[in-house]
């Protein structure tokens, strides 16, 4: 199945807020976009709880429900939403060549990369061994397993704060480990954490090891140079994300943190007709609403690109 099966005006890679917003705009512009949802349809919002800060949802909405709304809105205008992950690309040819995880190759005249970012891990061997046996990166997915138990959360950002607060309502006690002497989380989230009686914040504390054979039993930490054990049945890692750029790296320029670089004020990458939107190109804001905003920009940029003649790209190396 390695023969190209179709040529599509616009392929959107990724089914999160950026991808769906691009699909809404592109479908309304008559570009007949096809969106591939990737390995986690709905993106990171499907592992979030309540979204309180997306304008328009005045009473808040759950992440998964919001993503269903986005998808339905894109489909209403004729966007084709497909399951499947782009695992390989060839941006030296035009139309651009994209290979799916099932081996099918498709051709696209324009591409919007909105593949998002994934949770980072600490990199300890025990983390892999005990993943799903107490180690998790999603409190909302797995928190229930730790009802009335003690858990540890690692990280000092909004995600760690949010996960700690969620777990504090379920668990007996939450130990939040912050490696610096301050948290990076927004003030309002920090205040909520500090107010919660069963959250203990440990500053200047890092995980050294995870103790347990079949399940997490305790976390070995270095706290202000001393080694201590915290008894806990769960370890929730909430230390940020890395952009999902792997299939694009041979062609697309990224910055020192691995985020796709775009021409300032646009979503244009270094490859003509290939645009980037959402968390994969945003090391700073990483909000659903900013992702949606850049998704809109990418659709408008792609529309402008598709209106121009681009036959000159056909035989060229396009860097
Ligand atoms: P961030 O990158 O903001 O924070 C990551 C945290 O993890 C930092 O405190 C960092 O420490 C710490 N960290 C990184 N690596 C390690 C390590 N190896 N060991 C220990 N600690 C480590 O990521 P988040 O996922 O928290 O947030 C991402 C974005 O999403 C932010 O813009 C945030 O505001 C937003 N967000 C908003 C929410 C909301 O508004 N409700 C909810 C969740 C996220 P250090 O500070 O020392 O670098």
């Amino acid at each position: 199945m390695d023969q190209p099966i179709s040529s599509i005006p616009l392929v959107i890679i990724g089914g999160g807020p950026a991808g769906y917003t691009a699909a809404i705009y592109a479908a309304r512009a008559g570009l007949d976009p096809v969106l591939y949802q990737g390995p986690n349809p709905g993106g990171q919002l499907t592992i979030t709880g309540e979204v309180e800060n997306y304008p328009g949802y005045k009473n808040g909405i759950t992440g998964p429900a919001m993503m269903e709304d986005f998808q339905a809105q894109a489909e209403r205008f004729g966007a084709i939403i497909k399951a499947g992950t782009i695992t390989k690309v060839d941006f030296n040819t035009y139309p651009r060549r994209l290979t799916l995880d099932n081996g099918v190759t498709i051709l696209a005249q324009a591409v919007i990369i909105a593949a998002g970012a994934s949770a980072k891990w600490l990199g300890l061997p025990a983390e892999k061994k005990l993943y799903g046996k107490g180690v998790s990166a999603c409190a909302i997915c797995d928190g229930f397993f730790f009802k009335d138990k003690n858990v540890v959360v690692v990280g000092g950002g909004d995600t760690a704060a949010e996960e700690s607060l969620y777990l504090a309502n379920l668990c007996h006690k939450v130990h939040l480990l912050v490696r610096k002497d301050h948290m990076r989380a927004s003030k309002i989230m920090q205040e909520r954490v500090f107010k919660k009686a069963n959250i203990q914040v440990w500053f200047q504390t890092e995980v050294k090891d995870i103790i347990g054979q079949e399940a997490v039993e305790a976390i070995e930490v270095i706290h202000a140079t001393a080694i201590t054990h915290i008894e806990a049945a769960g370890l929730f890692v909430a230390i940020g994300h890395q952009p999902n750029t792997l299939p694009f790296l041979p062609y697309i320029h990224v910055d020192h943190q691995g985020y796709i670089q775009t021409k300032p004020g646009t979503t244009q990458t270094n490859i003509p007709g290939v645009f980037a939107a959402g968390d994969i190109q945003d090391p700073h804001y990483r909000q659903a609403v900013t992702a949606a905003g850049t998704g809109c920009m990418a659709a408008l940029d792609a529309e402008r690109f598709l209106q121009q003649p681009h036959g000159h790209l056909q035989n060229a190396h396009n860097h």
Side-chain angles (χ1 to χ4, degrees):
M1 289 263 262
D2 50 9
Q3 285 302 306
I5 53 158
S6 54
S7 176
I8 298 164
L10 174 63
V11 171
I12 299 166
I13 302 172
Y20 286 137
T21 304
I24 292 166
Y25 273 77
R28 290 190 78 248
L31 301 182
D32 300 327
V34 176
L35 180 151
Y36 286 93
Q37 290 174 308
N40 302 308
Q44 289 178 65
L45 279 172
T46 55
I47 53 166
T48 330
E50 195 78 358
V51 180
E52 293 177 336
N53 51 11
Y54 198 93
Y57 292 104
K58 69 182 164 83
N59 299 318
I61 184 166
T62 67
M66 187 165 114
M67 286 301 90
E68 278 171 24
D69 281 355
F70 274 47
Q71 178 173 345
Q73 194 175 352
E75 285 175 328
R76 184 179 145 213
F77 298 112
I80 296 172
I81 312 293
K82 293 193 172 192
T85 302
I86 305 295
T87 53
K88 208 174 111 190
V89 299
D90 182 351
F91 289 159
N92 272 340
T93 56
Y94 194 84
R96 309 300 177 198
R97 190 179 284 259
L98 313 171
T99 306
L100 280 156
D101 48 356
N102 63 3
V104 170
T105 299
I106 50 176
L107 296 177
Q109 292 157 40
V111 178
I112 294 173
I113 304 174
S118 302
K120 276 190 199 161
W121 294 97
L122 295 165
L124 299 167
E127 197 176 34
K128 267 198 185 139
K129 191 179 87 180
L130 293 168
Y131 180 74
K133 297 173 182 168
V135 174
S136 168
C138 177
I140 286 161
C141 319
D142 301 327
F144 189 73
F145 300 122
F146 304 95
K147 202 168 180 320
D148 301 326
K149 296 182 177 164
N150 292 347
V151 295
V152 166
V153 176
V154 190
D158 278 324
T159 303
E162 200 176 61
E163 302 244 313
S164 299
L165 288 162
Y166 180 83
L167 289 165
N169 287 333
L170 278 174
C171 302
H172 178 247
K173 181 161 184 179
V174 177
H175 298 270
L176 172 59
L177 312 188
V178 180
R179 67 178 173 185
K180 291 200 176 129
D181 63 359
H182 61 274
M183 289 181 72
R184 193 196 288 199
S186 54
K187 209 157 177 227
I188 181 170
M189 294 301 276
Q190 290 195 38
E191 276 167 11
R192 286 182 194 172
V193 165
F194 295 138
K195 267 196 202 145
K196 196 84 185 170
N198 62 339
I199 299 180
Q200 180 178 349
V201 184
W202 299 58
F203 288 106
Q204 292 178 295
T205 304
E206 289 193 50
V207 176
K208 185 165 184 287
D209 205 356
I210 308 162
I211 312 297
Q213 285 306 318
E214 295 304 318
V216 173
E217 291 165 12
I219 311 301
E220 187 173 67
V221 302
I222 309 175
H223 172 60
T225 73
I227 294 180
T228 313
H229 282 198
I230 301 174
E231 272 182 38
L235 173 72
F236 289 84
V237 180
I239 60 170
H241 295 84
Q242 60 198 12
N244 298 321
T245 52
L246 197 61
F248 318 108
L249 286 181
Y251 305 94
I252 294 284
H253 293 171
V254 296
D255 69 12
H256 67 283
Q257 290 174 275
Y259 289 85
I260 293 181
Q261 286 181 316
T262 51
K263 197 173 144 207
T266 77
T267 59
Q268 176 64 64
T269 68
N270 58 303
I271 304 287
V274 179
F275 306 91
D279 284 10
I280 201 162
Q281 54 82 58
D282 176 11
H284 302 294
Y285 304 105
R286 296 177 292 192
Q287 302 298 303
V289 69
T290 51
T294 53
C296 158
M297 288 165 65
L300 298 178
D301 289 344
E303 184 185 1
R304 202 162 304 128
F305 171 82
L306 288 168
Q307 280 164 356
Q308 291 158 7
H310 34 271
H312 63 286
L313 295 174
Q314 227 116 26
N315 299 316
H317 262 243
N318 301 309
H319 290 267

